[in-house]
Amino acid sequence: MSDDEADEELLELLRQSLGLKTKSTSGPADTKVLRDAEYIYNNSIDVAIDSASTKAAASMIWRLMQEKEYSPKTWSTHQLHPKDKTESTVNFIFAMDLLNFSFWPEDPTGEPFTVDYDGKKWSGYWSLVACLQRAISEEIPITNPDFWQDQEACTDDLMKHVFRSNNSTSMPMLGERLSILREAGHVLYEKYHCSIINVVKQANSSAAALVNLLVQDFPSFRDEASFDGKRVRFYKRAQIFVADLWACFEGQDYGKFNDIDKITMFAGL
């Protein structure tokens, strides 16, 4: 956006503050993630992206997907991912993606957080999924939003047990993760009758609308920053939730989205 262009978001806020008629929002939903990425690309000084290399990488990824017959069905083939296509699976994916961040140990020279489950050792993202599956096998309702709000049942000590390691390295940012679960449970209780299914249904089969709902109502999904004085959006985990639903349900039922192409790729560190 150049200096002489109007900022539509600021204009919309001004209209609302003055009680004026706002622009119609009946058009297709848009997360604005791609638009903001393009803005960063066009205005960055210290970092540049090589267009030819980007196209080459995209071509390689596409070729490998064809060779390995990679499709949404691949998601459920992993040992730890849920196999059922039920409401409980949506709960599992929501809990998983609420907590899907930062698996680096606090001590960079120490061992990674590692979990023993189902005959294997798991680290990184898979350590989180293993913790959730292990808790369910121990009859701890870790993916149930009602449980997250129950302070007598969902205690800090029990959560330390759920996210226990097989070494001396604790789950990174465990306190923050527990706060996020409890906050999400509260939001679901207050706005969605304690059901993530109701959030999905409200999006009306729109991937972009679901991302926007998550970002609007669940603060932990709202990863934004300021670049060159402009608000820019990333919405990584909100998009991952949509992508996981789409893949798990193979584009059907709770994973049916008419605009799945609105979801962007995202870097994972």
Side-chain angles (χ1 to χ4, degrees):
M1 183 176 69
S2 65
D3 292 338
D4 57 353
E5 287 183 280
D7 188 317
E8 288 297 329
E9 288 185 45
L10 289 178
L11 286 175
E12 188 67 10
L13 288 173
L14 180 61
R15 293 187 189 101
Q16 293 176 18
S17 68
L18 296 175
L20 301 177
K21 184 178 180 181
T22 60
K23 283 191 172 183
S24 172
T25 57
S26 59
D30 183 10
T31 67
K32 298 182 175 63
V33 171
L34 193 59
R35 185 194 71 176
D36 290 351
E38 183 178 19
Y39 179 83
I40 295 171
Y41 170 79
N42 288 331
N43 292 276
S44 293
I45 296 174
D46 299 318
V47 178
I49 298 175
D50 184 274
S51 178
S53 297
T54 302
K55 291 177 180 177
S59 178
M60 179 187 69
I61 291 171
W62 175 250
R63 176 177 53 80
L64 291 174
M65 288 178 66
Q66 302 307 301
E67 291 177 0
K68 297 179 180 294
E69 298 183 346
Y70 191 89
S71 74
K73 294 181 179 181
T74 308
W75 191 92
S76 297
T77 62
H78 192 279
Q79 179 178 343
L80 293 180
H81 275 162
K83 306 299 182 284
D84 296 335
K85 316 294 183 187
T86 64
E87 291 188 9
S88 294
T89 302
V90 179
N91 284 341
F92 186 100
I93 294 172
F94 185 58
M96 181 177 75
D97 289 332
L98 277 170
L99 306 179
N100 181 10
F101 62 89
S102 188
F103 299 101
W104 301 105
E106 293 183 10
D107 179 2
T109 63
E111 293 182 279
F113 174 75
T114 307
V115 173
D116 287 323
Y117 177 71
D118 204 16
K120 291 186 178 180
K121 297 183 186 299
W122 307 95
S123 60
Y125 160 76
W126 294 113
S127 67
L128 167 66
V129 188
C131 283
L132 298 180
Q133 292 286 19
R134 182 176 62 187
I136 291 172
S137 70
E138 295 173 347
E139 299 185 352
I140 300 171
I142 187 60
T143 62
N144 187 330
D146 286 312
F147 174 70
W148 304 340
Q149 297 184 90
D150 189 338
Q151 296 184 7
E152 293 185 1
C154 184
T155 64
D156 288 355
D157 286 342
L158 181 59
M159 292 298 95
K160 290 177 182 177
H161 171 76
V162 168
F163 295 104
R164 65 191 183 274
S165 175
N166 70 354
N167 56 37
S168 60
T169 301
S170 301
M171 166 68 88
M173 302 181 70
L174 180 59
E176 289 83 350
R177 285 182 159 87
L178 302 188
S179 295
I180 285 171
L181 280 181
R182 288 164 178 154
E183 177 185 68
H186 178 72
V187 171
L188 288 175
Y189 177 81
E190 291 291 328
K191 294 188 175 184
Y192 296 102
H193 301 287
C194 217
S195 173
I196 184 60
I197 297 296
N198 291 332
V199 185
V200 176
K201 288 180 177 178
Q202 187 166 318
N204 196 27
S205 298
S206 167
L210 181 51
V211 169
N212 290 340
L213 279 173
L214 293 172
V215 170
Q216 170 187 294
D217 290 337
F218 299 88
S220 73
F221 282 119
R222 200 179 304 141
D223 49 322
E224 300 173 345
S226 177
F227 175 79
D228 197 26
K230 176 182 172 62
R231 170 194 177 199
V232 291
R233 306 157 182 83
F234 301 98
Y235 301 165
K236 177 179 177 177
R237 288 183 299 115
Q239 292 191 90
I240 289 176
F241 175 68
V242 175
D244 281 344
L245 277 185
W246 176 72
C248 175
F249 288 89
E250 299 175 25
Q252 302 297 317
D253 199 10
Y254 298 121
K256 181 180 179 181
F257 298 107
N258 300 322
D259 58 348
I260 192 63
D261 58 322
K262 292 284 187 72
I263 300 304
T264 67
M265 293 184 70
F266 22 77
L269 298 177

Short mmCIF file of all heavy atoms in Angstrom, two decimals, residues 210-234:
data_model
loop_
_atom_site.label_atom_id
_atom_site.label_comp_id
_atom_site.label_asym_id
_atom_site.label_seq_id
_atom_site.Cartn_x
_atom_site.Cartn_y
_atom_site.Cartn_z
N LEU A 210 -13.28 -19.95 9.00
CA LEU A 210 -12.92 -20.67 10.23
C LEU A 210 -11.64 -20.10 10.82
O LEU A 210 -11.53 -19.90 12.03
CB LEU A 210 -12.77 -22.16 9.94
CG LEU A 210 -12.42 -23.04 11.15
CD1 LEU A 210 -13.37 -22.79 12.32
CD2 LEU A 210 -12.45 -24.52 10.75
N VAL A 211 -10.65 -19.82 9.98
CA VAL A 211 -9.43 -19.18 10.47
C VAL A 211 -9.77 -17.86 11.16
O VAL A 211 -9.29 -17.56 12.26
CB VAL A 211 -8.42 -18.94 9.32
CG1 VAL A 211 -7.27 -18.03 9.78
CG2 VAL A 211 -7.86 -20.26 8.82
N ASN A 212 -10.60 -17.06 10.53
CA ASN A 212 -10.95 -15.75 11.09
C ASN A 212 -11.70 -15.87 12.41
O ASN A 212 -11.50 -15.08 13.33
CB ASN A 212 -11.77 -14.95 10.08
CG ASN A 212 -10.94 -14.51 8.88
OD1 ASN A 212 -9.71 -14.46 8.95
ND2 ASN A 212 -11.60 -14.18 7.79
N LEU A 213 -12.58 -16.88 12.52
CA LEU A 213 -13.28 -17.11 13.78
C LEU A 213 -12.32 -17.48 14.89
O LEU A 213 -12.41 -16.98 16.02
CB LEU A 213 -14.32 -18.22 13.61
CG LEU A 213 -15.66 -17.85 13.00
CD1 LEU A 213 -16.49 -19.11 12.75
CD2 LEU A 213 -16.43 -16.88 13.90
N LEU A 214 -11.38 -18.36 14.59
CA LEU A 214 -10.39 -18.78 15.59
C LEU A 214 -9.57 -17.59 16.06
O LEU A 214 -9.33 -17.41 17.26
CB LEU A 214 -9.48 -19.86 15.01
CG LEU A 214 -10.12 -21.21 14.70
CD1 LEU A 214 -9.15 -22.10 13.95
CD2 LEU A 214 -10.58 -21.90 15.98
N VAL A 215 -9.13 -16.78 15.12
CA VAL A 215 -8.30 -15.63 15.44
C VAL A 215 -9.10 -14.59 16.23
O VAL A 215 -8.59 -13.95 17.15
CB VAL A 215 -7.73 -15.01 14.15
CG1 VAL A 215 -7.07 -13.68 14.42
CG2 VAL A 215 -6.74 -15.97 13.51
N GLN A 216 -10.34 -14.43 15.87
CA GLN A 216 -11.20 -13.44 16.52
C GLN A 216 -11.49 -13.81 17.97
O GLN A 216 -11.46 -12.94 18.86
CB GLN A 216 -12.51 -13.33 15.74
CG GLN A 216 -13.61 -12.53 16.43
CD GLN A 216 -14.92 -12.62 15.67
OE1 GLN A 216 -15.02 -12.13 14.55
NE2 GLN A 216 -15.92 -13.26 16.26
N ASP A 217 -11.77 -15.08 18.23
CA ASP A 217 -12.27 -15.48 19.54
C ASP A 217 -11.26 -16.17 20.44
O ASP A 217 -11.48 -16.27 21.66
CB ASP A 217 -13.49 -16.40 19.36
CG ASP A 217 -14.70 -15.65 18.82
OD1 ASP A 217 -14.75 -14.42 18.99
OD2 ASP A 217 -15.59 -16.30 18.22
N PHE A 218 -10.17 -16.68 19.88
CA PHE A 218 -9.16 -17.39 20.67
C PHE A 218 -7.82 -16.66 20.55
O PHE A 218 -7.11 -16.81 19.55
CB PHE A 218 -9.02 -18.84 20.19
CG PHE A 218 -10.29 -19.64 20.30
CD1 PHE A 218 -11.22 -19.64 19.26
CD2 PHE A 218 -10.57 -20.37 21.44
CE1 PHE A 218 -12.40 -20.36 19.35
CE2 PHE A 218 -11.75 -21.10 21.55
CZ PHE A 218 -12.67 -21.09 20.51
N PRO A 219 -7.46 -15.87 21.55
CA PRO A 219 -6.26 -15.03 21.46
C PRO A 219 -4.97 -15.78 21.12
O PRO A 219 -4.10 -15.22 20.45
CB PRO A 219 -6.17 -14.40 22.86
CG PRO A 219 -7.59 -14.38 23.35
CD PRO A 219 -8.22 -15.63 22.80
N SER A 220 -4.86 -17.03 21.55
CA SER A 220 -3.61 -17.74 21.30
C SER A 220 -3.38 -18.04 19.82
O SER A 220 -2.26 -18.34 19.40
CB SER A 220 -3.57 -19.06 22.09
OG SER A 220 -4.45 -20.02 21.55
N PHE A 221 -4.44 -17.98 19.01
CA PHE A 221 -4.31 -18.20 17.57
C PHE A 221 -3.97 -16.90 16.82
O PHE A 221 -3.74 -16.94 15.62
CB PHE A 221 -5.62 -18.76 16.99
CG PHE A 221 -5.82 -20.23 17.24
CD1 PHE A 221 -6.91 -20.68 17.97
CD2 PHE A 221 -4.94 -21.17 16.73
CE1 PHE A 221 -7.12 -22.04 18.19
CE2 PHE A 221 -5.13 -22.52 16.93
CZ PHE A 221 -6.22 -22.96 17.67
N ARG A 222 -3.93 -15.78 17.54
CA ARG A 222 -3.83 -14.47 16.88
C ARG A 222 -2.37 -14.04 16.77
O ARG A 222 -1.93 -13.07 17.39
CB ARG A 222 -4.65 -13.45 17.66
CG ARG A 222 -5.04 -12.19 16.89
CD ARG A 222 -5.87 -11.27 17.77
NE ARG A 222 -7.06 -11.95 18.28
CZ ARG A 222 -7.54 -11.80 19.51
NH1 ARG A 222 -6.93 -11.01 20.37
NH2 ARG A 222 -8.64 -12.45 19.89
N ASP A 223 -1.58 -14.73 15.95
CA ASP A 223 -0.19 -14.33 15.77
C ASP A 223 -0.09 -13.26 14.68
O ASP A 223 -0.23 -13.54 13.50
CB ASP A 223 0.71 -15.53 15.48
CG ASP A 223 0.19 -16.44 14.39
OD1 ASP A 223 -1.04 -16.65 14.33
OD2 ASP A 223 0.99 -16.94 13.59
N GLU A 224 0.15 -12.06 15.14
CA GLU A 224 0.28 -10.90 14.27
C GLU A 224 1.52 -10.12 14.66
O GLU A 224 2.08 -10.31 15.74
CB GLU A 224 -0.96 -9.99 14.40
CG GLU A 224 -2.26 -10.68 14.03
CD GLU A 224 -3.48 -9.81 14.34
OE1 GLU A 224 -3.32 -8.82 15.09
OE2 GLU A 224 -4.58 -10.13 13.85
N ALA A 225 1.96 -9.25 13.79
CA ALA A 225 3.13 -8.43 14.06
C ALA A 225 2.98 -7.10 13.34
O ALA A 225 2.03 -6.89 12.57
CB ALA A 225 4.41 -9.15 13.62
N SER A 226 3.90 -6.20 13.60
CA SER A 226 3.93 -4.93 12.89
C SER A 226 5.16 -4.90 12.00
O SER A 226 6.28 -5.19 12.44
CB SER A 226 3.99 -3.77 13.90
OG SER A 226 4.09 -2.53 13.22
N PHE A 227 4.94 -4.61 10.74
CA PHE A 227 6.05 -4.51 9.78
C PHE A 227 5.92 -3.20 9.03
O PHE A 227 4.89 -2.94 8.40
CB PHE A 227 6.02 -5.69 8.80
CG PHE A 227 7.06 -5.58 7.71
CD1 PHE A 227 8.38 -5.91 7.96
CD2 PHE A 227 6.72 -5.12 6.44
CE1 PHE A 227 9.35 -5.78 6.97
CE2 PHE A 227 7.67 -5.00 5.45
CZ PHE A 227 8.99 -5.33 5.71
N ASP A 228 6.96 -2.39 9.14
CA ASP A 228 6.96 -1.12 8.43
C ASP A 228 5.73 -0.28 8.79
O ASP A 228 5.14 0.40 7.94
CB ASP A 228 7.01 -1.36 6.92
CG ASP A 228 7.44 -0.13 6.12
OD1 ASP A 228 8.14 0.72 6.69
OD2 ASP A 228 7.07 -0.03 4.93
N GLY A 229 5.33 -0.39 10.08
CA GLY A 229 4.18 0.36 10.55
C GLY A 229 2.83 -0.21 10.18
O GLY A 229 1.79 0.41 10.44
N LYS A 230 2.81 -1.40 9.61
CA LYS A 230 1.57 -2.01 9.16
C LYS A 230 1.33 -3.33 9.90
O LYS A 230 2.27 -4.10 10.13
CB LYS A 230 1.64 -2.28 7.64
CG LYS A 230 0.45 -3.01 7.05
CD LYS A 230 0.66 -3.26 5.56
CE LYS A 230 -0.43 -4.16 4.97
NZ LYS A 230 -1.75 -3.54 5.06
N ARG A 231 0.10 -3.59 10.25
CA ARG A 231 -0.27 -4.86 10.88
C ARG A 231 -0.18 -5.98 9.84
O ARG A 231 -0.75 -5.88 8.75
CB ARG A 231 -1.69 -4.76 11.42
CG ARG A 231 -2.31 -6.07 11.88
CD ARG A 231 -3.80 -5.87 12.06
NE ARG A 231 -4.51 -7.06 12.44
CZ ARG A 231 -5.82 -7.22 12.30
NH1 ARG A 231 -6.55 -6.24 11.79
NH2 ARG A 231 -6.40 -8.34 12.67
N VAL A 232 0.54 -7.04 10.19
CA VAL A 232 0.65 -8.19 9.28
C VAL A 232 0.25 -9.45 10.03
O VAL A 232 0.48 -9.59 11.22
CB VAL A 232 2.07 -8.33 8.70
CG1 VAL A 232 2.38 -7.20 7.74
CG2 VAL A 232 3.13 -8.40 9.80
N ARG A 233 -0.35 -10.36 9.32
CA ARG A 233 -0.93 -11.56 9.90
C ARG A 233 -0.16 -12.80 9.45
O ARG A 233 0.28 -12.87 8.31
CB ARG A 233 -2.40 -11.70 9.47
CG ARG A 233 -3.26 -10.47 9.77
CD ARG A 233 -4.47 -10.45 8.86
NE ARG A 233 -5.30 -9.28 9.05
CZ ARG A 233 -5.09 -8.08 8.49
NH1 ARG A 233 -4.04 -7.90 7.69
NH2 ARG A 233 -5.90 -7.09 8.72
N PHE A 234 -0.08 -13.79 10.34
CA PHE A 234 0.52 -15.08 10.02
C PHE A 234 -0.49 -16.22 10.21
O PHE A 234 -0.62 -17.08 9.36
CB PHE A 234 1.77 -15.32 10.88
CG PHE A 234 2.82 -14.26 10.71
CD1 PHE A 234 2.94 -13.22 11.61
CD2 PHE A 234 3.68 -14.29 9.62
CE1 PHE A 234 3.90 -12.23 11.44
CE2 PHE A 234 4.64 -13.31 9.44
CZ PHE A 234 4.75 -12.27 10.35
#
